[in-house]
Amino acid sequence: MRILVINPNSTVTMTAQIGESARRAAFPGTVIETVNPKGTPASIEGHADEALAVPAMLELIRAGEARGFDAHVIACFDDPGLAAAREVARGPVIGICQAGVQVASTIASRFSIVTTLPRSVPIIEDLVAGYGATGRCRNVRAVNMPVLALEQEPETCELRLLHEIRAAREQDGAEAVLLGCAGMSDMCDRLQAQTGMPVIDGVSAAVKLAEGLVGGRYLTSKVGAYDFPRVKFPQAAG
Amino acid sequence: MRILVINPNSTVTMTAQIGESARRAAFPGTVIETVNPKGTPASIEGHADEALAVPAMLELIRAGEARGFDAHVIACFDDPGLAAAREVARGPVIGICQAGVQVASTIASRFSIVTTLPRSVPIIEDLVAGYGATGRCRNVRAVNMPVLALEQEPETCELRLLHEIRAAREQDGAEAVLLGCAGMSDMCDRLQAQTGMPVIDGVSAAVKLAEGLVGGRYLTSKVGAYDFPRVKFPQAAG
Amino acid sequence: MRILVINPNSTVTMTAQIGESARRAAFPGTVIETVNPKGTPASIEGHADEALAVPAMLELIRAGEARGFDAHVIACFDDPGLAAAREVARGPVIGICQAGVQVASTIASRFSIVTTLPRSVPIIEDLVAGYGATGRCRNVRAVNMPVLALEQEPETCELRLLHEIRAAREQDGAEAVLLGCAGMSDMCDRLQAQTGMPVIDGVSAAVKLAEGLVGGRYLTSKVGAYDFPRVKFPQAAG
Amino acid sequence: MRILVINPNSTVTMTAQIGESARRAAFPGTVIETVNPKGTPASIEGHADEALAVPAMLELIRAGEARGFDAHVIACFDDPGLAAAREVARGPVIGICQAGVQVASTIASRFSIVTTLPRSVPIIEDLVAGYGATGRCRNVRAVNMPVLALEQEPETCELRLLHEIRAAREQDGAEAVLLGCAGMSDMCDRLQAQTGMPVIDGVSAAVKLAEGLVGGRYLTSKVGAYDFPRVKFPQAAG
Amino acid sequence: MRILVINPNSTVTMTAQIGESARRAAFPGTVIETVNPKGTPASIEGHADEALAVPAMLELIRAGEARGFDAHVIACFDDPGLAAAREVARGPVIGICQAGVQVASTIASRFSIVTTLPRSVPIIEDLVAGYGATGRCRNVRAVNMPVLALEQEPETCELRLLHEIRAAREQDGAEAVLLGCAGMSDMCDRLQAQTGMPVIDGVSAAVKLAEGLVGGRYLTSKVGAYDFPRVKFPQAAG
Amino acid sequence: MRILVINPNSTVTMTAQIGESARRAAFPGTVIETVNPKGTPASIEGHADEALAVPAMLELIRAGEARGFDAHVIACFDDPGLAAAREVARGPVIGICQAGVQVASTIASRFSIVTTLPRSVPIIEDLVAGYGATGRCRNVRAVNMPVLALEQEPETCELRLLHEIRAAREQDGAEAVLLGCAGMSDMCDRLQAQTGMPVIDGVSAAVKLAEGLVGGRYLTSKVGAYDFPRVKFPQAAG
């Protein structure tokens, strides 16, 4: 089984870190490959960054299917272009926010999410609402650091994450915490160990769900909304 | 007051038709200009088409603000890239679905929507849910014709629209009908005259709201989610 | 274009202040007239006050249509009798809460509301829910002053509003603030200037939407719930 | 225990019929008195009719409390002025729609409602939503007859009710049916007998809940939204 | 009229206390009998405790109907097995959470709940959501004491309840408070007297609703979900 | 990895069929064992059947954990006792309805469910609501056959399933169909082949998710609602 994990931003060090987390999560027989588009924003911090990353990401998925990948993971917690990706793919496409929410909803009755910047909070709230988990998600918190600061100041970030995870437990009544950025995936185990709280990394969650969907021979439905994009009749375009 | 109406697809004849509807709706003193990006899909029929249209559309908005436009209208009923557009713009950005839903919610207690292809039905349902109008929207119907067929077979399209509008009234209990595609805007008055139902065209609705927002000196909030996209620190990108 | 702005309470000084705000917001060619019923409560602070104000308000709307007004604005943030008003009117009727929510939902992804008394908080929450904006409305706050105190102690009120607007930004994560009482409309610009937050006055918002609806030739649907009240068969009434 | 059942419309024959149903439902020791205001619409068929009935109804409740009634029932399925009535009353005030929904939610997992005119359907849907029963309410149906026709053509009405109740069972999957007009209360037993479906009359339901609330010494909370209307400071009113 | 009040846990002292509250609430002519199953958990503190209590509780209801009881009350705030109980019973079955929520929704526009352990908070939130009262329920609070501690340390419990009720009023904006455990029922009157807040005990509320349902001759619908359990064809069971 | 698949009813032939489906879905290295309790109902057709099956099922899970199983699957589409099971287990517990809904929400934007008896429809609707998928679930259909008839009249059942799946596509706009009973799992592949619709069997879906959760070392959170049941202080129980 071959899974292509796509980091939609163009920061190669982050792609590498995501790849390590993904491979650590995978079953022994699973081949994980990672890739990021070129020319997309260095980090995804808002809707405009998402929009600029998606077209190149769709091309990587098309190419991935042509190269025989069985499933694709979009390794950005905003799940950018997830529905569009399902249109272009025959196999399953997993977003790390949706995957993390599904895992959290299976092991806990209430959870909180901790992300990077406050501006991403409404974006994640809306995603969670779309996944039907508003009632289970106690709070979306932010450490108030940009995405790339996760790499540049990892110790500060980890301290703030510890603080927010503890606050999620004590103030929110959360029973598990979902890390709200792919760039946090390498801290997951330490955070869980230090807080005694179940901490969920979306990258790992998505890899496990992707393996399951491929193993179960599930394909993206081509009836209705996720059908392949329509080829247009030739037309005078200006 | 100057409003830029953007048709996100690349079909110039549709841009022209949208421009006529927009100008017909505008106050005498309002300058309406229309534009469409080059190289985007000839029509927007699904999430992937949307994704491919948004980056160029964002550039048009940036350029539009530089050229002094006071507000922008996105003239595609999927409201593609609406939140991203609000991030890049200082002035208001209006989506024709959101505008149509706001007008419909003001003149009727229940409404239905008629769009082109069945695959767009869940997309519009999700938009309507995001705008909080699920309880007011009785049904999203489809004439089952591609977007560009509106121009190629206008009579067939109009007959099917008449049929669906009447069904919306009789079967759904709709009190008004919202046309679910910018390409239908030139049929709006005839459909209303023939059915006796209030029929709302999103392009016209968006122009009126844009004029009101500019006239009221409302700007897009730059506190939080719609703040300008963050400039990234220089970074090794691959 | 002629718009009648109705203050449903009977306090003429408040009507005058509302009129100033409405005229300041209107386009040059728009004729704004204001009126308040006689004998209704001096302020609207709860459901019973609303109920006592509505019958006279409906008469003013009927008379307004007879006098040729194109649209009516109900200038009380509880939107009292809004649906009833739409039944008696052929033209559009705009409530300042619904208008404010629509504007806020267009320029911000999350907003808070600041009203007068705590007893109005659930009323406004229910209105916001009915307009489908529960997910976008972070909080409904109260300065804990009666409506008429806005006129009697304007400085205290303004200080408390400043405090609540800042709290909305910092504690609620609001990106804009909607003033929850028509009597606050004259403070809107100063509050915005002092806080750097977009502050929305419902009276101004309603005037702009009313102009747009009239300009777009939208009429209240007479199919279904907003049809004119039925004339009853003569009947033995006791 | 003394309960005042108020028919908000001015049709005395309907008041009499409601009184019979209420007395038939009451415990032996309960004193039921009925009353209707004078000068209100002959029937309540929409928001404007409601609005015109409420002020006089509030006066009847104030007078009822002064005369020692322990609880009040508003015998119109739109629950007109229910929140306002709770503000003016110290004792409980029961609306027949809320009461009927509570009973239906206790004896069935899904129910439908059958009302008079189609224009009342959205009104009732919104009430049901406010009572949190949207998920339990399968459908709101209408026999398409005005309220007063229930008295004038009782046989036609009963036939149509039978038809709709059977359709509710077979097409909606309803497990019980709630009659959506106080004027239908005298048909309830026959409809239940003929259809084998539990049929709930809101007037009877409200009487039973009122007895329970009085018996349990529950009073309307005067903390917050249902506090007595505020007395206004003297003010220049025009 | 005869009502059987079932305490699903096996603690006889709690059954006795519940019985006193139930009898105090009942009308003079109502016969209240109480019972608890043997061998069920000593208290219900979570889903597993609920599950272990339900089968024996269903047997008590079957036996209760055979002995001629007109209605049954399940005196545990988690409403354990409520739907199952309605399947086995011909008469009404009332859960004290549903009853308390119905009473609270009638006398107040917003309420909070105070329960025993934090682990019960999500359970009660989910119940409240199922009863459609999420928008009316401000908060579910916990005194952080096990159920049986209510009997063992009644003074500590009462002090903590006082604290939470006051916090519900001041911090939540609650207008009434619902006690979230049958074991608190004997403190209800004192808590109300000391706080000036309407305090609702679910046991008393359920008794009053049960009397009303029996008095109104309502039976559990046997059409659909609450029909009697199906008798299975004989089958090889292993 | 060892997964225990529990059929909560006592029909051993159904347990065998479920086991075949589960083993067919599992990865080569996964050990699947199946079991059913003794003395529980021969099929689960309603809340009472569920209630009678859960205590024995919880014992099987406790025993399963003692025997070293890594995860448990509850193979009944009502997900009976799922939260209770999570309290008693350290490892993950998967319900086939929740698993099926998660898979359906990943490969399709809209789906329908087909179950056995109409009485199960509201039960499944409520489960789907609890999992936050009401907006994605178009319809819950029933073939109107008891659970055990799936074994006794498999051809009739399969014909009716084909009919309902096609209706789900054409009338509901479903893009995938979820089989609403564990007893249907052996028909899944044929139904998919004959209809061209993605058809999802909850047993297989649950096995794949269970493997993923075990592989990802996820455990049930013991913070909050899913903590182990509390051990009670010794108490006089009657």
Side-chain angles (χ1 to χ4, degrees):
Chain A
M1 184 188 313
R2 301 175 66 213
I3 297 171
L4 183 59
V5 178
I6 304 176
N7 169 21
N9 74 38
S10 58
T11 300
V12 292
T13 47
M14 186 172 294
T15 310
Q17 182 256 307
I18 288 168
E20 282 178 38
S21 299
R23 269 179 281 269
R24 204 163 41 233
F27 285 120
T30 303
V31 175
I32 300 283
E33 199 168 301
T34 54
V35 67
N36 62 259
K38 296 183 185 178
T40 58
S43 58
I44 309 286
E45 298 167 322
H47 302 95
D49 286 346
E50 288 182 44
L52 297 180
V54 173
M57 188 190 81
L58 297 184
E59 277 317 298
L60 290 174
I61 292 173
R62 276 207 179 89
E65 292 230 318
R67 289 171 56 210
F69 283 99
D70 299 296
H72 290 78
V73 168
I74 301 176
C76 168
F77 203 78
D78 291 356
D79 287 356
L82 181 56
R86 286 172 178 161
E87 290 184 15
V88 305
R90 187 172 296 280
V93 184
I94 318 292
I96 68 172
C97 176
Q98 188 175 16
V101 166
Q102 290 190 352
V103 167
S105 302
T106 305
I107 65 168
S109 85
R110 296 293 184 272
F111 62 89
S112 285
I113 297 174
V114 188
T115 189
T116 51
L117 290 172
R119 71 179 298 158
S120 293
V121 170
I123 294 178
I124 293 174
E125 289 174 336
D126 289 348
L127 280 175
V128 167
Y131 300 144
T134 298
R136 290 174 174 263
C137 181
R138 285 285 192 210
N139 202 359
V140 181
R141 294 168 167 274
V143 291
N144 203 9
M145 295 176 73
V147 171
L148 297 180
L150 302 183
E151 295 189 346
Q152 292 153 353
E153 305 171 63
E155 284 165 28
T156 306
C157 174
E158 202 161 323
L159 280 175
R160 293 196 189 174
L161 278 167
L162 281 173
H163 177 79
E164 295 298 328
I165 292 168
R166 288 182 178 127
R169 178 178 185 155
E170 283 153 33
Q171 294 168 26
D172 305 346
E175 303 167 11
V177 168
L178 183 49
L179 298 179
C181 177
M184 297 169 177
S185 65
D186 58 343
M187 303 176 188
C188 183
D189 288 353
R190 287 194 302 276
L191 294 167
Q192 178 160 315
Q194 286 180 73
T195 60
M197 279 285 274
V199 179
I200 299 164
D201 157 46
V203 176
S204 311
V207 166
K208 300 319 292 180
L209 294 187
E211 291 175 319
L213 290 166
V214 172
R217 290 173 299 129
Y218 297 104
L219 300 176
T220 298
S221 173
K222 290 299 158 185
V223 178
Y226 294 158
D227 195 5
F228 294 110
R230 291 187 73 249
V231 178
K232 315 299 177 189
F233 293 105
Q235 191 77 14
Chain B
M1 184 187 314
R2 300 176 67 213
I3 297 172
L4 183 59
V5 178
I6 303 176
N7 170 21
N9 74 38
S10 58
T11 299
V12 292
T13 47
M14 186 172 293
T15 310
Q17 182 256 306
I18 288 168
E20 282 178 38
S21 299
R23 270 179 280 268
R24 203 162 41 232
F27 285 118
T30 305
V31 175
I32 299 282
E33 199 168 301
T34 54
V35 66
N36 63 257
K38 297 182 185 178
T40 59
S43 59
I44 309 287
E45 297 168 323
H47 304 93
D49 286 345
E50 288 182 44
L52 296 180
V54 173
M57 188 190 80
L58 297 183
E59 276 316 299
L60 291 174
I61 291 174
R62 276 207 180 88
E65 292 230 318
R67 289 172 55 212
F69 284 98
D70 298 296
H72 290 77
V73 168
I74 302 177
C76 167
F77 203 78
D78 290 358
D79 287 355
L82 181 56
R86 287 174 178 159
E87 289 184 15
V88 304
R90 188 172 294 280
V93 184
I94 318 292
I96 68 172
C97 177
Q98 187 174 15
V101 166
Q102 289 190 352
V103 168
S105 301
T106 305
I107 65 168
S109 85
R110 296 292 184 273
F111 62 90
S112 285
I113 297 173
V114 188
T115 188
T116 51
L117 289 171
R119 74 179 296 159
S120 293
V121 170
I123 294 178
I124 293 174
E125 289 174 336
D126 289 349
L127 279 175
V128 167
Y131 300 143
T134 299
R136 289 172 175 262
C137 181
R138 286 281 192 213
N139 202 359
V140 182
R141 294 169 167 274
V143 292
N144 203 9
M145 295 175 74
V147 170
L148 297 181
L150 301 184
E151 295 189 348
Q152 292 154 354
E153 306 171 63
E155 285 164 29
T156 306
C157 175
E158 202 161 322
L159 279 176
R160 291 196 188 175
L161 279 167
L162 282 173
H163 177 79
E164 294 299 328
I165 291 168
R166 287 180 178 130
R169 177 177 185 157
E170 282 153 35
Q171 294 168 28
D172 304 346
E175 303 166 12
V177 168
L178 184 50
L179 299 179
C181 178
M184 297 168 176
S185 63
D186 58 342
M187 303 178 188
C188 184
D189 288 352
R190 286 195 302 277
L191 293 167
Q192 178 159 313
Q194 287 180 71
T195 60
M197 279 285 273
V199 179
I200 299 164
D201 157 46
V203 175
S204 311
V207 166
K208 301 318 292 179
L209 294 186
E211 291 174 320
L213 289 165
V214 172
R217 289 173 298 128
Y218 296 106
L219 300 175
T220 298
S221 173
K222 291 299 157 184
V223 178
Y226 295 158
D227 195 6
F228 294 110
R230 290 188 73 251
V231 178
K232 315 300 177 189
F233 293 104
Q235 191 78 14
Chain C
M1 183 187 314
R2 300 175 66 214
I3 297 172
L4 184 60
V5 178
I6 303 176
N7 169 22
N9 73 38
S10 58
T11 300
V12 291
T13 46
M14 187 171 294
T15 310
Q17 181 257 308
I18 288 167
E20 282 177 39
S21 299
R23 269 179 281 268
R24 204 162 42 231
F27 285 119
T30 303
V31 176
I32 301 281
E33 199 169 302
T34 54
V35 66
N36 62 258
K38 296 183 185 178
T40 59
S43 59
I44 309 287
E45 297 167 322
H47 303 93
D49 286 345
E50 288 182 44
L52 296 181
V54 172
M57 187 190 80
L58 297 183
E59 277 316 299
L60 290 175
I61 291 174
R62 276 207 180 88
E65 292 230 319
R67 289 171 55 212
F69 284 98
D70 298 297
H72 290 78
V73 168
I74 301 176
C76 167
F77 203 79
D78 290 357
D79 287 356
L82 181 55
R86 286 174 177 158
E87 290 184 14
V88 305
R90 189 172 294 280
V93 184
I94 317 291
I96 68 172
C97 176
Q98 187 175 16
V101 166
Q102 289 190 352
V103 167
S105 302
T106 304
I107 65 167
S109 84
R110 296 292 184 274
F111 62 90
S112 286
I113 296 174
V114 188
T115 188
T116 50
L117 290 172
R119 71 179 299 158
S120 294
V121 170
I123 294 178
I124 293 174
E125 288 174 336
D126 288 349
L127 280 175
V128 167
Y131 300 144
T134 299
R136 289 173 176 263
C137 180
R138 285 284 191 214
N139 202 358
V140 182
R141 295 169 166 275
V143 291
N144 203 8
M145 296 175 73
V147 171
L148 297 181
L150 302 184
E151 295 189 348
Q152 292 154 353
E153 306 170 64
E155 285 164 29
T156 307
C157 175
E158 202 160 325
L159 279 176
R160 293 196 189 174
L161 278 166
L162 281 174
H163 177 78
E164 295 299 328
I165 291 169
R166 288 179 178 130
R169 177 177 185 155
E170 282 153 32
Q171 294 168 27
D172 305 347
E175 303 166 11
V177 168
L178 183 49
L179 299 179
C181 177
M184 297 169 177
S185 65
D186 58 343
M187 303 177 190
C188 183
D189 288 352
R190 286 193 303 276
L191 294 166
Q192 178 159 313
Q194 286 180 74
T195 60
M197 279 285 274
V199 180
I200 300 164
D201 157 45
V203 176
S204 311
V207 166
K208 300 318 291 178
L209 294 186
E211 291 174 319
L213 290 165
V214 172
R217 290 175 297 130
Y218 297 105
L219 300 175
T220 298
S221 173
K222 291 298 158 185
V223 179
Y226 294 158
D227 195 5
F228 294 110
R230 291 187 73 249
V231 178
K232 316 298 177 190
F233 293 104
Q235 191 77 14
Chain D
M1 184 187 316
R2 301 175 65 214
I3 297 171
L4 183 60
V5 178
I6 304 176
N7 169 21
N9 74 38
S10 58
T11 300
V12 292
T13 46
M14 186 172 293
T15 310
Q17 181 256 307
I18 288 167
E20 282 178 39
S21 299
R23 270 180 281 268
R24 202 162 42 232
F27 285 119
T30 303
V31 175
I32 300 282
E33 198 168 304
T34 53
V35 66
N36 61 259
K38 295 183 185 177
T40 59
S43 59
I44 310 287
E45 296 167 323
H47 304 94
D49 286 344
E50 288 182 44
L52 296 180
V54 173
M57 187 189 82
L58 297 183
E59 277 316 298
L60 290 175
I61 292 174
R62 277 209 180 85
E65 293 230 319
R67 289 171 55 210
F69 283 97
D70 299 296
H72 290 78
V73 168
I74 301 176
C76 167
F77 203 78
D78 290 356
D79 287 355
L82 181 55
R86 286 173 178 160
E87 289 184 14
V88 305
R90 189 173 293 279
V93 184
I94 317 291
I96 67 172
C97 177
Q98 188 175 16
V101 165
Q102 289 190 352
V103 167
S105 301
T106 305
I107 65 168
S109 84
R110 295 294 184 273
F111 62 90
S112 285
I113 297 174
V114 188
T115 189
T116 51
L117 290 173
R119 74 179 296 158
S120 293
V121 169
I123 294 178
I124 293 174
E125 288 174 338
D126 288 349
L127 280 175
V128 167
Y131 299 143
T134 299
R136 289 173 176 263
C137 181
R138 285 283 192 213
N139 203 358
V140 183
R141 294 170 166 274
V143 292
N144 203 9
M145 295 175 74
V147 170
L148 297 182
L150 301 183
E151 295 189 348
Q152 292 153 351
E153 306 171 63
E155 285 164 29
T156 307
C157 175
E158 202 160 325
L159 280 176
R160 291 195 189 175
L161 279 167
L162 282 173
H163 177 79
E164 295 297 329
I165 291 169
R166 287 178 179 131
R169 178 177 186 157
E170 283 153 34
Q171 294 168 27
D172 304 347
E175 303 168 12
V177 168
L178 183 49
L179 299 179
C181 177
M184 297 170 176
S185 65
D186 58 343
M187 304 177 188
C188 183
D189 287 353
R190 287 193 304 277
L191 294 167
Q192 178 159 313
Q194 286 180 75
T195 60
M197 279 286 274
V199 180
I200 300 164
D201 157 45
V203 175
S204 312
V207 166
K208 300 319 291 179
L209 293 187
E211 291 174 321
L213 289 166
V214 173
R217 288 173 299 128
Y218 297 106
L219 299 175
T220 298
S221 172
K222 291 298 157 186
V223 178
Y226 295 157
D227 195 6
F228 293 110
R230 290 186 74 249
V231 178
K232 315 299 177 190
F233 293 104
Q235 191 78 12
Chain E
M1 183 187 316
R2 301 175 66 215
I3 297 172
L4 183 59
V5 178
I6 304 176
N7 169 21
N9 74 38
S10 58
T11 299
V12 292
T13 47
M14 186 172 294
T15 310
Q17 181 258 306
I18 288 167
E20 283 178 39
S21 299
R23 270 179 281 268
R24 203 161 43 231
F27 285 119
T30 304
V31 176
I32 300 281
E33 198 168 302
T34 54
V35 67
N36 63 258
K38 296 184 184 177
T40 58
S43 59
I44 309 286
E45 297 167 323
H47 304 94
D49 286 345
E50 288 181 43
L52 296 180
V54 173
M57 188 190 80
L58 297 183
E59 276 317 298
L60 290 174
I61 291 173
R62 277 209 179 86
E65 292 230 321
R67 289 171 55 211
F69 283 98
D70 299 297
H72 290 77
V73 168
I74 301 176
C76 167
F77 202 78
D78 290 357
D79 287 354
L82 181 56
R86 287 172 177 161
E87 290 184 14
V88 305
R90 188 172 295 279
V93 184
I94 319 291
I96 68 171
C97 177
Q98 188 175 16
V101 166
Q102 289 189 353
V103 167
S105 301
T106 305
I107 65 167
S109 84
R110 297 292 185 273
F111 62 89
S112 285
I113 297 173
V114 188
T115 188
T116 51
L117 290 172
R119 72 179 298 158
S120 293
V121 170
I123 294 178
I124 293 173
E125 288 174 335
D126 288 349
L127 280 175
V128 167
Y131 300 144
T134 299
R136 288 173 176 264
C137 180
R138 284 282 191 215
N139 203 358
V140 182
R141 294 170 166 274
V143 291
N144 203 7
M145 295 176 73
V147 171
L148 297 180
L150 301 184
E151 295 190 347
Q152 292 154 354
E153 306 171 64
E155 285 164 29
T156 306
C157 175
E158 202 160 324
L159 279 175
R160 291 195 189 177
L161 278 166
L162 281 173
H163 177 79
E164 295 298 328
I165 291 168
R166 288 179 179 131
R169 177 178 185 156
E170 282 153 35
Q171 293 168 29
D172 304 346
E175 303 167 10
V177 168
L178 184 48
L179 299 179
C181 177
M184 297 169 177
S185 64
D186 59 342
M187 303 178 189
C188 184
D189 288 352
R190 286 194 303 277
L191 294 167
Q192 178 159 315
Q194 286 180 74
T195 60
M197 278 285 274
V199 180
I200 300 164
D201 157 45
V203 176
S204 311
V207 166
K208 300 318 292 179
L209 293 187
E211 291 174 320
L213 290 165
V214 173
R217 289 173 299 127
Y218 296 105
L219 299 175
T220 298
S221 172
K222 290 300 157 185
V223 178
Y226 293 158
D227 195 7
F228 294 110
R230 290 187 74 249
V231 179
K232 316 298 178 189
F233 293 105
Q235 190 78 14
Chain F
M1 184 189 312
R2 301 177 65 215
I3 297 171
L4 184 59
V5 178
I6 304 176
N7 169 20
N9 75 37
S10 58
T11 299
V12 292
T13 47
M14 186 172 295
T15 310
Q17 181 256 308
I18 289 167
E20 283 178 38
S21 299
R23 267 179 283 269
R24 204 162 41 232
F27 285 119
T30 303
V31 175
I32 300 282
E33 198 169 302
T34 54
V35 67
N36 61 258
K38 297 183 185 178
T40 58
S43 59
I44 310 287
E45 297 166 323
H47 303 94
D49 286 346
E50 288 181 45
L52 297 180
V54 172
M57 187 190 81
L58 297 183
E59 277 316 299
L60 290 174
I61 291 173
R62 277 209 179 87
E65 291 231 318
R67 289 170 57 210
F69 284 98
D70 299 296
H72 290 77
V73 168
I74 301 176
C76 168
F77 203 78
D78 290 357
D79 287 355
L82 181 56
R86 287 173 177 159
E87 289 183 16
V88 306
R90 188 172 296 278
V93 184
I94 318 290
I96 67 171
C97 177
Q98 188 176 16
V101 165
Q102 289 189 354
V103 167
S105 301
T106 305
I107 65 167
S109 84
R110 297 293 184 272
F111 61 89
S112 285
I113 296 174
V114 188
T115 189
T116 50
L117 290 172
R119 73 179 298 157
S120 294
V121 169
I123 295 178
I124 293 174
E125 288 174 335
D126 287 349
L127 280 175
V128 167
Y131 300 144
T134 298
R136 289 174 174 263
C137 181
R138 286 282 192 213
N139 202 359
V140 182
R141 293 168 167 276
V143 292
N144 203 7
M145 296 176 71
V147 171
L148 297 180
L150 302 183
E151 295 189 347
Q152 292 154 354
E153 306 170 64
E155 285 164 28
T156 306
C157 174
E158 203 161 323
L159 280 174
R160 292 195 189 176
L161 279 167
L162 281 174
H163 177 78
E164 294 298 329
I165 291 169
R166 288 181 179 129
R169 178 179 185 155
E170 283 154 33
Q171 294 168 28
D172 305 348
E175 303 167 11
V177 168
L178 184 48
L179 298 178
C181 177
M184 297 169 177
S185 65
D186 58 343
M187 303 176 188
C188 183
D189 288 353
R190 285 194 304 277
L191 294 166
Q192 177 159 314
Q194 285 180 74
T195 60
M197 278 286 274
V199 180
I200 300 164
D201 157 47
V203 175
S204 311
V207 166
K208 300 319 291 179
L209 293 187
E211 290 174 321
L213 290 166
V214 173
R217 290 173 299 129
Y218 297 105
L219 300 174
T220 298
S221 174
K222 290 299 157 185
V223 178
Y226 295 158
D227 195 5
F228 294 110
R230 290 187 74 250
V231 178
K232 316 299 177 191
F233 293 105
Q235 191 77 12

